[in-house]
Amino acid sequence: MIRSEILKEIAPILNPHLVVCNIGLPSQELHMIDDNERNFYMLGTMGLSSSIGFGLALAQDKPVISIDGDGSVLTNLGTLPTIANNATGNYTLLIIDNGSYGSTGDQPTYAGMKTNLTDVARACGCENVIEVQDKDLGPILQQAIDSDEMTIIVCKCDSGNIKLPVITLDPVVIRHRFMEAVKA
Amino acid sequence: MNIDKKIVDDLVANDVSFVTTVPCKQLAGVIEEVDARENIFHIPSNKEDEGMGLCAGAFMGGKRPAIIMQNTAIGVTINTLATLTQFYRMPLPMIISYRGELREPVACQVEMAVHTKALLAQLNIPTYHFHWQDDVKELDNILKYTFMCNKPVAILTDANFWGGYGDQ
Ligand SMILES: Cc1ncc(C[n+]2csc(CCOP(=O)(O)OP(=O)(O)O)c2C)c(N)n1
Ligand SMILES: [Mg+2]
């Protein structure tokens, strides 16, 4: 499966929850599949989906899911020790590991070569790291959200993208409606 | 006056309850003070852009954030300041140790010091420079201003402000 197929499948699981979504195609795909005020779309700042979602999870009690990418986690690897050492049960980090920088044309990342992000997350001190194949993600994600333990999911999948328009929502609108959803 | 305590008192008085830090020798005391306060959640970050991401999330979660870092980190965080903090219009007080200024003993620090104000000006980031201990009196107003306008705001604190770096 490619990322857009995965997002289609898990959209109903994500829908009731606060979601911080990675820059580029992941956000464009989520926006197309199920745009709602509980989605925070990153329009820039590659690498910070996990940090933004984690800060949000620490600041309030609702479940938060960060959708991240292998390339973005590699660019902000320092995030994993921070998350590990300040774990909060309402946080789930979903790394869609397609082994490539998808949004920029599927150039290979080191996660698709010798580097194993599941092992990296564990070595950083994350206690609950699950590696899962794309087709099996749904139930694992649901369990992670429902459980009181913080979970890092590394979802292995194929590279590949669909053609999509960019998001034209104003960032302040995205942020405002998201904050209203946080408070609701 | 204990400036570490005064700075953290002002943060608390302005409802700042989520603080991320990356250390600098000049900031050791204020970081220790932040860590000791029960009404502040202190989360050290590994890199300052990561810290700004945490602060953005905390802000959207209803907390007032702040970051404490060295001026060299301006070189690390320009993309984040522009595409996250400013683009989504979020407040972020940045208490910054201004290394490489008067009374600096480490020559390399001067290399980023000479760019610091120019970079902040280029980003249209309101910038304040604390050089004398008394300048800290402005902090309360600066924090109120930051959360009024929802912008990142820089507070540069040099070695003279902290009482000297190499010769104290
Ligand atoms: C600092 C910076 N460098 C490069 C880019 C270009 N860029 C945008 S998205 C992206 C790929 C992200 O890859 P990954 O996190 O694996 O997500 P995927 O698209 O594969 O799901 C890149 C390189 C950027 N936006 N910012
Ligand atoms: Mg990828």
Side-chain angles (χ1 to χ4, degrees):
Chain A
M1 291 165 85
I2 61 173
R3 182 188 50 245
S4 58
E5 294 168 324
I6 295 173
L7 289 177
K8 253 193 202 122
E9 196 159 295
I10 63 171
I13 299 172
L14 296 172
N15 176 278
H17 301 295
L18 301 171
V19 176
V20 175
C21 192
N22 194 22
I23 177 182
L25 288 169
S27 272
Q28 290 166 232
E29 289 164 359
L30 186 64
H31 175 260
M32 176 200 69
I33 294 162
D34 183 22
D35 179 39
N36 69 68
E37 64 278 12
R38 292 170 300 285
N39 294 340
F40 181 79
Y41 305 114
M42 293 180 66
L43 303 172
T45 341
M46 175 184 171
L48 294 192
S49 174
S50 59
S51 306
I52 297 168
F54 192 61
L56 174 65
L58 289 169
Q60 53 80 59
D61 293 333
K62 289 185 176 147
V64 177
I65 302 111
S66 281
I67 299 177
D68 218 331
D70 51 316
S72 299
V73 170
L74 286 171
T75 218
N76 182 25
L77 264 189
T79 190
L80 292 171
T82 303
I83 289 169
N85 287 282
N86 297 279
T88 177
N90 61 338
Y91 184 63
T92 304
L93 173 58
L94 169 60
I95 304 170
I96 304 212
D97 184 357
N98 56 6
S100 69
Y101 296 102
S103 288
T104 48
D106 277 328
Q107 299 84 358
T109 67
Y110 291 125
M113 299 186 224
K114 286 189 181 176
T115 305
N116 181 323
L117 285 179
T118 309
D119 289 346
V120 172
R122 290 201 180 114
C124 288
C126 296
E127 281 167 1
N128 206 10
V129 188
I130 303 175
E131 186 172 307
V132 64
Q133 197 57 45
D134 42 22
K135 61 176 183 11
D136 304 321
L137 175 62
I140 299 284
L141 176 63
Q142 187 66 63
Q143 261 174 40
I145 297 169
D146 294 343
S147 93
D148 289 339
E149 252 184 290
M150 184 178 80
T151 310
I152 317 295
I153 302 173
V154 180
C155 177
K156 305 292 279 182
C157 66
D158 298 322
S159 294
N161 302 296
I162 54 173
K163 269 217 152 57
L164 275 177
V166 298
I167 296 173
T168 53
L169 279 173
D170 189 280
V172 180
V173 172
I174 295 173
R175 194 265 281 167
H176 178 74
R177 64 179 204 165
F178 186 70
M179 286 180 75
E180 294 297 310
V182 172
K183 279 188 272 180
Chain B
M1 175 172 44
N2 176 336
I3 39 180
D4 298 326
K5 193 171 170 316
K6 160 76 176 142
I7 288 170
V8 183
D9 281 346
D10 282 348
L11 291 175
V12 171
N14 282 278
D15 270 337
V16 172
S17 59
F18 186 99
V19 178
T20 190
T21 62
V22 178
C24 165
K25 198 163 179 181
Q26 283 179 181
L27 298 169
V30 74
I31 292 173
E32 200 176 316
E33 189 69 32
V34 161
D35 200 63
R37 295 294 177 103
E38 271 181 12
N39 28 16
I40 292 181
F41 181 77
H42 174 213
I43 180 163
S45 43
N46 294 306
K47 214 168 179 186
E48 295 81 355
D49 55 345
E50 180 209 351
M52 289 181 183
L54 293 168
C55 287
F59 170 67
M60 293 195 287
K63 297 239 151 116
R64 285 185 163 192
I67 188 165
I68 300 180
M69 65 188 204
Q70 195 177 81
N71 65 309
T72 46
I74 295 297
V76 174
T77 55
I78 287 182
N79 179 45
T80 302
L81 285 164
T83 65
L84 181 65
T85 320
Q86 291 183 324
F87 198 41
Y88 289 86
R89 198 174 276 275
M90 301 191 199
L92 184 63
M94 303 185 284
I95 298 175
I96 301 170
S97 69
Y98 193 8
R99 297 295 307 270
E101 258 292 331
L102 298 183
R103 301 176 75 178
E104 171 66 54
V106 181
C108 185
Q109 295 287 4
V110 181
E111 297 304 312
M112 272 309 285
V114 297
H115 298 298
T116 298
K117 284 187 175 176
L119 291 169
L120 290 165
Q122 179 64 40
L123 287 163
N124 293 334
I125 291 178
T127 299
Y128 301 88
H129 181 168
F130 290 180
H131 181 61
W132 302 107
Q133 275 217 359
D134 251 16
D135 295 338
V136 78
K137 288 185 181 149
E138 206 80 271
L139 181 60
D140 180 59
N141 279 330
I142 296 168
L143 292 171
K144 289 184 166 59
Y145 177 81
T146 305
F147 292 105
M148 174 276 294
C149 64
N150 278 0
K151 289 179 189 296
V153 170
I155 303 137
L156 300 170
T157 57
D158 66 25
N160 194 70
F161 170 77
W162 295 106
Y165 179 83
D167 54 0
Q168 54 190 313

